[in-house]
Every structure is written in structure tokens, then in C-alpha cells.
Amino acid sequence: MNTLSRFLSHIVFFLIISSTIAQDFDALQYRNLGPYRGGRVTAVAGVQAAPSTFYLGATGGGVWKTDDYGIHWKNISDGFFSTPSIGAIAVVQNDPNIVYVGTGSDGLRSNVIEGRGMYKSIDGGKNWSFIGLENVGQIGAVRIHPDNHNIVYVAAIGKAFESNPERGVYKTMNGGKSWEKVLSISDETGIYDIEFLTSNPEILFATAWKAERKPWTIISGGSPSEGGIYKSVDGGKSWEKIDQGLPQKLIGKIDLAVSQADSKLVYALVEAPGDEGGVYRSVDQGRSFKQVSSHEGIRTRPFYYTNLRVNPKDPNVLYSLATGYYKSEDGGKTWKRVSSPHGDNHDMWMNPDNPDIFIQANDGGANITLNGGKSWSTQYNQPTAEIYQVEVDDQYPYWVYGGQQDNYSTIAVPSQAPYGLQQPGTGYIINTGGCETGPAVPKPGNHNIVYSNCKGRFGVYNKETGTEMQFYVGASNMYGHNPKDLKYRFQRVSPIHVSPHDPSVVYHCSQFVHKTTDEGQTWEIISPDLTAFEDDKQVISGAPITRDVTGEEFYSTIYAIRESPVKQGIIWVGANDGPVHVTQDGGKTWTNVTPKKLPSGGRVDAVEPSPHNPAKAYISVLRNQLGDAKPYIYKTSDYGKSWELLSGKENGIPMDYPTRVVREDPKREGLLFAGTEYGMFISFDDGKHWQSFQQNLPVTPITDIKIHRADLVMSTMGRGFWIMDDISTLRQYTTGSTEEHRLFQPKNTVRYRTPAGAYNSTTPEYPNPSIKIDYYLSEKPGQPIALEIKDETGKVYHIVSDTAKLKQKDKVIRDMATEDIRWVTNKNLSTNQGLNRFEWNFRSTGPWHKQAGRRYQNGPIVPPGTYTATLTVGGWKGSTEFELLIDPRIQEAGVTVEDIKKQAALQQDVMALLETSRKLEDSLEKEISKTNDEAKTKQLQDALNKLQTAEGIYMQPRLTDQISYLYSMINRADQIPGKDAYDRYKELEIEMKQIKEALD
């Protein structure tokens, strides 16, 4: 789909949705949970004249920039790029404000995200412009002419999952306004790398690569006519094939390294069979090559790596980036392994002025060294993790689990800060067994037990002991096999599912459904082979040169399984080669219910039994690995006898947005969420219409969705985990026009405190303690609005208003029922037309303070109970009830609701005393300033001295500070106050009485 077509489709989508959806949901935002260890990075660049500035390009996380040697990274592509997959970054070194980026990662994994062209910035990445080549696919290299930044060459590998005629070398002479294809081999062969000869930029080298992924194999390389090295001496107008000294039978991926220190030298890292693969060297500007090394370590998994770099000052120093990280100091003849912060290495950029300063990229992120690799910047400041799926547990606060690409264990992170740390953020990541692929599924009722997977290997991880018991189905190593010869075919990402009806029942899937009731000690097969199992797809993966059999290409396996939460024994499964099956009797009999109109062969990425109707289910099918980018979401209401396509041309999801997952809300039937390759969508009418629900989410694949405790929880392939807190409003919303204001009922919320040592965390984004109160304004009000919160007795605890519209006299409000006076806080309520959200922090209004900015702030947290929120908009008024629940951890520790109510009563008493003392102080100061009576002045000053601590260092605290000290003591935690607190309050009360009496 070209840019104009995509624009028109989005206009059609908008017109459809605007007729049925009147609500604006901008007030509902997501927050990022991390983890903050980086994900896979395949493109890096630096700035020669500003050695602290670097760029990284993640495979699903976009472009990031640092200007302090990697201490901090900031995303600079969000809001500009239509894809998060980055293939190449190039900086104009004599004008580093100009940066070119080619999208589409060059490591053609099965989960690679499609490239969508070229982008350019002229202000160092603050803003970006799309400059074309949208349909070329993955981009392997971008090279800028050293003397003219408007001349740029692009190496287009092509689309990862299909042949396409746009493969080749492209050149622009006008900074990207127009492009010319200057080298084309075929629809199947693209260009991986381009290099200038440093002494003459009219001389170029390009490497041709035949490459394509299929779900069942990796195609990398072909005959010499389908690959190899090409040379141009006239700026790309004509090209000559170089074959002297290179492999003559089969040739695959090739990366070039051209020496800036010696213009006659050209190095090539070549994928070829057996010992023919390795490093080749030319000493005659690329006219001929000679092999200098066939070291196996430097050429592992060529489709994924094949990266060679040469030191800009020493032509004999080379680096090879593959599974390991290798260095040669003799022109590539011998190699030694060197250390990098993470394995699986992809890219490197060295500063030409000082090659000891460089950035290196791998599957753990990007890292910078200032001393040639002796020490590195951290990878724990890049929230670009690729997460395969999401699960949640039942503790409080709940934790979020998933498999993180290229991590030695599955991981879990908390939904909010569970305890304090001396350095919050990265320390909240824990290991949960298995490995990178996941999933990790916590056991209902015992979150310390996690069922984890590692490429088909089932384990039971115990968080309390930190050990994992292994119970592999079949107990046979599957690596290196033709899948047709395996007894059990487990995909690299093999599902685990715990029955929603019986936590002792766990399902695990190969081509069969396996069931255990004793945590894996024994397994029962409860299904036949539920895959298509086509003979021609059962092959050794990796052709025609490099064998690569890790289970990722085992095509005929079950990829998704879910048991109906409504009726036990109804189980839905989907295979990664297309079929969908259901059983209604716990696995005794199975029915193939694959939708008849669904094109064959796609990966059933998710099955979703309805939580409302046992006959209803949804499936999401991914076919982009077959070259079909259309979204496929189907619904059945009759156990799969018939299906309805929910992702047609005119109902909201763009036709080039492959869809990975669909989930139905457990409370509101027909409220659907769909995760696509490029973001989130929502439907209020059971999939008839969809609208974007991207909000503040970056563009990145949504791999899985869970709806838990009214929170929307997601995993992404490149930006970690995200949560939208409290979607209760979505459950209450009705489509169509809203003609009047509305106050929505918030969910009953646990009343919690942020642990000491976890305040103000931005990495991850943990919420401040609050309940979310949503309201809809049909129009921007011309009058003040106010939100009042009362308890069951009618006592007003909190009032907040649009204070910008209030006059000073309106800021004090008397409650006529109780004669309590409460003051409007200085927080403003939003008055935007549409949906608004106010977050109440559970606190009552605080004590008076003579500084207006601190007045009535940060009162005590109110006790658990039922509260009423009342919104007033001019003459309109709406009310709703909600509950604040006791923190279950506090309850387990022995604190009761009655204890907290006693604490709240004392807090109110102490707060009132503090307010009295502060006001008396203030009145005495004013009276002293006005009186001329010496005796009166002395009397007033004596009283003030008893209230007010003298200025100075470590002066003895007087009454106001003593009351404040007690107030702080009883506000720090939920507890029944100690006897000393009550005794001290009485003492302070007596002191206050004595001071007042002395003034009478």
C-alpha cells in the first residue's frame, strides 16, 4: 500500500468511526513498565566532531539518541516513523544535524518487522521527514557521499517474506526528493551493503544477497549469479561483477569493510559453504580477493549477523560481530574473542579521530566504550525489550510476566512499586525460569510457582528458592532435526496455559495438546496432531548454504491454546500452519473448525474464548510471514461452525496492519482489543467497527494483551510491557453522541502507599497512589466545575475545582451538615470537552499553612470505606459511589480496617491541633507588628516563642513543630497508633490550652 492509499484508507476509517464513536479517549494513557534492559539493536552511528553523541536503531523500538556517552538515551523517532524497525543510520559528519535513517532491520529473523522506507532529519533528530522508498522492504545500509550530503546511496535487501522488484541499490542526488535505482539483480536478490572507496567516492562496492524467510525455512544465498560483490567506478551509473578469488558455487550474505587508512584494501566477510566462508581480502581496490580466514566463530548464523568492521586508523585491526565478538590485529588472519556486555553482536561505529571511542550493538541493546572495549556504558537504560507474550499473577500489586528476546530467563516486573529500593527502576526485574522465548505463567493461588518454557522445554520455577525443576515432554533434544523425524514438534515459542477452572491442570503444546495435573511430573496427550503437517514444509531449515535448526522454523506446531472461562472442557487451539480446532469434552474429541474463507498456512497467533458465551470465540491469524500483510480477526458464535471476518476493508484496521492478538473484556461483552504490528485498536460493537486506541503508545507490535483487575496490560516486540490503568469507563461507555455531561463510576481501588525508596520513579513509570475518576464534558464549560468526595457519613474529605475560574471568596466552602470547613485545593480539574481523568491520591485536605502554596495540601490518607464523588458543572450535578479497599498486604500483616479508622481519627485530631497552632502563630505575628504596648508585646512574644521554633541551626523545636512531628509520625504507614502517640497528643493539647489561657 503506497502513502496515498494508506492516507485514503485512514480517511475512510475516520469517517466510519466518527459516525458511531463520539467519545474522545485522550485522557486514558498508557504507562511503560520496562524492563529497562535494552532489546536487539542492529544499527548504530556516532558523530565524529561530537564524540559523546551516538544513535541506536532497535529492531522494534525505533531510533534513540544520547549526547552523554550513553548515560541517558532518548527516543527521537516516535511520532514520525511508521515502523519501529531500523536497518541503518547515517550521519553527515561535516554537518551532523543531517541524519538519514533506513527502516527495516537487516537481521531477517522470523519476527522481523517490515521496513517502510527512508527518513531524514536536518536538526539532529528533533524532527523527521519521510523521503520515500516505502516499498523496498528491509534496508541494509545507507551511505552519504563524503563531499555532498545530498548524494545518498541505499542498499535495499527487500521484503523479508516475499520477493519484490524494488530490491537493489538506490541513489538520490537531491537529499531524498527523488530516487533512482542504479543496481538491480532480481526480485529475489537484494543488496545488503554498500561502501565507498575512501580515496575516491565515485568508486563504490555493493554486495548482492538472495534472501527470504519462510515460516518453515531460511533462504540465504544462491548461485554466484544470485549474489556476490559489485563495483562501480562512476558513482553507480554502471557496475561490474567481481568474482576473482571469491566462492564460485554458492555465495550468500556478504559484508564489506573498507579501510580509511589504506585505500587499496577492501575486506569482505562472506557466507559460503564449508571452509569457503570467512574473511576475504583485496589489496587492489576490489579487483580481486583472497581468502585470509575461515574461522568458524566469525561467521555463525550469517542470515542474522555477517558484520565486519575495520579500525579507521589501523587497517590491520578488524572486528567481526556474530554470536561472539571477535577481533583481529593481523588483517583478518587470526582472531581472538573479546568481551561485550551481551552476546549476539550486530553493528559497530568507531570514531575516526579516536577509534578507542566506539558504540557496539547486540541483542541486549547498545553500549559505548571510551577505552577500546575495556569498559562499557550500561544497557539498563534502554526500554526496547522484545517481549513475546504477557501473563499476570494474583498477588498485590500484581506482577507482569513474559519471555524477553535473548534473555537467559523469562522475566517479571511489577505493575507498581512493591517495595523500596536504594536505586529504583532496573532492580524490579526478576527471573522466572525458562528462557527468552517464554511464556512464563504464574500458578493461580501461588505466585511463587511459575510454569516456564524454553524453546519447548517445560519447567517449574520456584521464586522462593530461585531454582527450576525440569519436566520436558519427551525429554529429547530437538535442535538440528528435520521436524518430520521428531516425536514431538515444539516450536521455539510453545504455549503453556493453566485451566481457568482448576489451577492443577496445565496444558502445553507440541503438535499435540499435552496435559499435566502434577506440575509436569507426568504428561497425558489429549489430542491427535492438530496441525496441517504438509510434507513439503517439513525440511531442514537454512538453505542452500547454512543449516539453522533452532525450532523457530518448526512449522506444524500448536501456537495458541485457551480453555473457555465460562464452561470447563471447551478448549480452543490454533496451529502455526493454519488449522483451528475445538473440543467440548476436555480433549476426548476434537473438531477442525478452521474458517473456510481463511487463506491457508497462516499462524494462529491467538485464540480467545469469550468470557461471556461458551459458544463464542475469536482468533487472530498472522500471515505476513507468507507475504500477506492483511489483518485476520475472526469470530464464531456457534463453536466454530461458522465464522465472521472482523477485519475487513472498511471497518477500521488498515489493510496492511497484520494482527497478532484479540481479547474480549471479561466484564463487558463485545468490548474488544486488538494488537497489531503497528499498534492497538478497540471495538465497542464486537468487531463491527474498530478505532485506533494508540493514545501515547509508540508504534511497535503488540504481541499479547491481558485484561486484569480492570487494567489493560500489553507486551510489545520492541518497547517492553505497557499498562493502561483502569478501563472501567470503557465498560460504561455507549457509542453514539453524548449530549450531556457524565461522571463515570471508577473501579473499587486498593488504597495503597508508595513504598519508601520508590518515589517519583520514571523508569519504570509507576503510578502515584490514586483512584482514577473519569468524567465526560459535552462541551467546554463556561462556569467553574468542582469535584467533591464524601464518606458514608457525609463528611467532606476532599474538594477540587477548576480554580482558575473561581474567585478568592469561593475557595472556602462550609459543609452545612457537619459545620466542617473545607478548602478547595490548588489542583485544577480539566475542563476539556470530551473525556477527562482526575486522579485522587486518597488524601483529605491538609492543615492550614500561612504560605498559600502549601495551604490545605497533603492531608492524611482517608481510611478504607465507601465514598461518593460528586461532580458539579454549573447547574449540572452527577454522583457515583466507589470503595477504597484495604491493602491486602497490610491486612496479612495484622492491621484491620478498624485500626486504620482509629488512626484516621487521631490524624484528624492532630491535624486540627496543628492548624490551630499555625493560625495562632500567624495571628500573634500580625498582632505584634501592630501593637505599641510594651507589656502587651512581651506577653504576645512569650506566647509566640512557645509556639514557634527560633531561627538557627538545631534549635529546640517548639509546640508547632512538635505537633508537626507527631503528625508526621502517625501518617507514615497504616497502623493502629501506639499509646505514646495518644499520650503525646494529650500533652500537646494541654500545652496549647495553657498558651491560650495565658493570652486571655
Side-chain angles (χ1 to χ4, degrees), residues 504-535:
S504 69
V505 174
V506 182
Y507 304 101
H508 187 35
C509 297
S510 58
Q511 72 270 40
F512 308 114
V513 177
H514 304 266
K515 174 183 173 182
T516 181
T517 57
D518 54 14
E519 297 192 333
Q521 293 185 48
T522 57
W523 291 97
E524 173 191 4
I525 296 175
I526 63 168
S527 79
D529 187 333
L530 299 179
T531 70
F533 195 61
E534 298 171 309
D535 288 341

Side-chain angles (χ1 to χ4, degrees), residues 44 139 275 291 321 348 413 559 660 701 848 971:
V44 294
I139 291 175
D275 289 342
Q291 187 179 29
L321 299 96
M348 183 176 173
V413 297
Y559 205 82
R660 291 173 174 260
W848 182 90
N971 277 337

Side-chain angles (χ1 to χ4, degrees), residues 921 925 941 944-961:
E921 262 191 52
E925 287 177 338
Q941 189 64 54
L944 182 60
N945 290 342
K946 293 176 182 177
L947 290 169
Q948 191 176 75
T949 303
E951 292 185 5
I953 300 174
Y954 296 123
M955 304 304 288
Q956 180 180 338
R958 295 302 183 180
L959 181 59
T960 300
D961 280 346

Side-chain angles (χ1 to χ4, degrees), residues 573-832:
V573 300
N576 70 339
D577 61 355
V580 179
H581 287 80
V582 65
T583 178
Q584 298 186 50
D585 53 17
K588 295 176 184 176
T589 58
W590 291 84
T591 304
N592 187 331
V593 294
T594 310
K596 292 181 175 59
K597 293 184 179 181
L598 172 66
S600 64
R603 186 174 85 193
V604 184
D605 218 277
V607 293
E608 172 71 355
S610 171
H612 305 280
N613 180 352
K616 187 166 74 165
Y618 307 83
I619 61 169
S620 170
V621 182
L622 203 63
R623 299 193 77 256
N624 66 329
Q625 295 172 336
L626 297 167
D628 179 1
K630 291 193 289 291
Y632 290 94
I633 300 174
Y634 282 87
K635 179 184 78 172
T636 180
S637 297
D638 54 12
Y639 296 101
K641 293 176 184 176
S642 62
W643 293 87
E644 176 187 359
L645 179 65
L646 304 182
S647 51
K649 290 184 178 180
E650 297 181 349
N651 73 340
I653 299 178
M655 293 308 290
D656 59 347
Y657 275 40
T659 303
R660 291 173 174 260
V661 60
V662 60
R663 301 292 182 208
E664 185 179 24
D665 183 73
K667 296 294 185 183
R668 174 176 174 173
E669 186 168 4
L671 176 58
L672 304 182
F673 300 91
T676 75
E677 195 77 349
Y678 304 107
M680 178 71 79
F681 288 79
I682 187 172
S683 173
F684 291 93
D685 54 10
D686 217 8
K688 291 184 178 64
H689 303 93
W690 296 89
Q691 71 177 101
S692 174
F693 200 49
Q694 193 69 2
Q695 315 301 88
N696 60 320
L697 270 180
V699 173
T700 194
I702 309 298
T703 56
D704 200 5
I705 301 168
K706 287 287 183 297
I707 301 157
H708 186 60
R709 297 177 184 167
D711 293 344
L712 191 63
V713 189
M714 291 156 294
S715 55
T716 71
M717 190 53 64
R719 297 295 283 270
F721 296 108
W722 292 73
I723 285 181
M724 176 179 285
D725 296 300
D726 192 3
I727 60 168
S728 301
T729 293
L730 300 178
R731 294 169 171 174
Q732 301 166 62
Y733 171 68
T734 54
T735 57
S737 62
T738 304
E739 297 179 354
E740 63 174 18
H741 310 310
R742 182 173 180 186
L743 178 63
F744 294 94
Q745 182 175 10
K747 72 176 181 180
N748 295 335
T749 299
V750 172
R751 168 193 170 282
Y752 66 100
R753 296 173 182 265
T754 298
Y759 298 115
N760 301 319
S761 174
T762 57
T763 54
E765 298 173 31
Y766 293 128
N768 291 320
S770 68
I771 184 168
K772 280 69 177 172
I773 300 174
D774 295 339
Y775 56 96
Y776 175 85
L777 299 179
S778 60
E779 59 184 3
K780 190 174 181 65
Q783 299 172 290
I785 70 171
L787 183 68
E788 178 185 78
I789 298 172
K790 295 181 179 182
D791 70 4
E792 294 169 283
T793 68
K795 180 180 177 64
V796 178
Y797 275 97
H798 197 83
I799 296 176
V800 62
S801 180
D802 172 30
T803 56
K805 293 186 176 68
L806 286 181
K807 297 178 181 177
Q808 187 65 35
K809 65 181 179 62
D810 297 321
K811 293 186 179 180
V812 179
I813 298 174
R814 181 180 297 277
D815 187 318
M816 300 303 292
T818 63
E819 288 303 307
D820 284 344
I821 294 178
R822 284 292 175 259
W823 296 265
V824 177
T825 68
N826 63 0
K827 291 182 180 178
N828 290 341
L829 280 181
S830 170
T831 58
N832 294 329

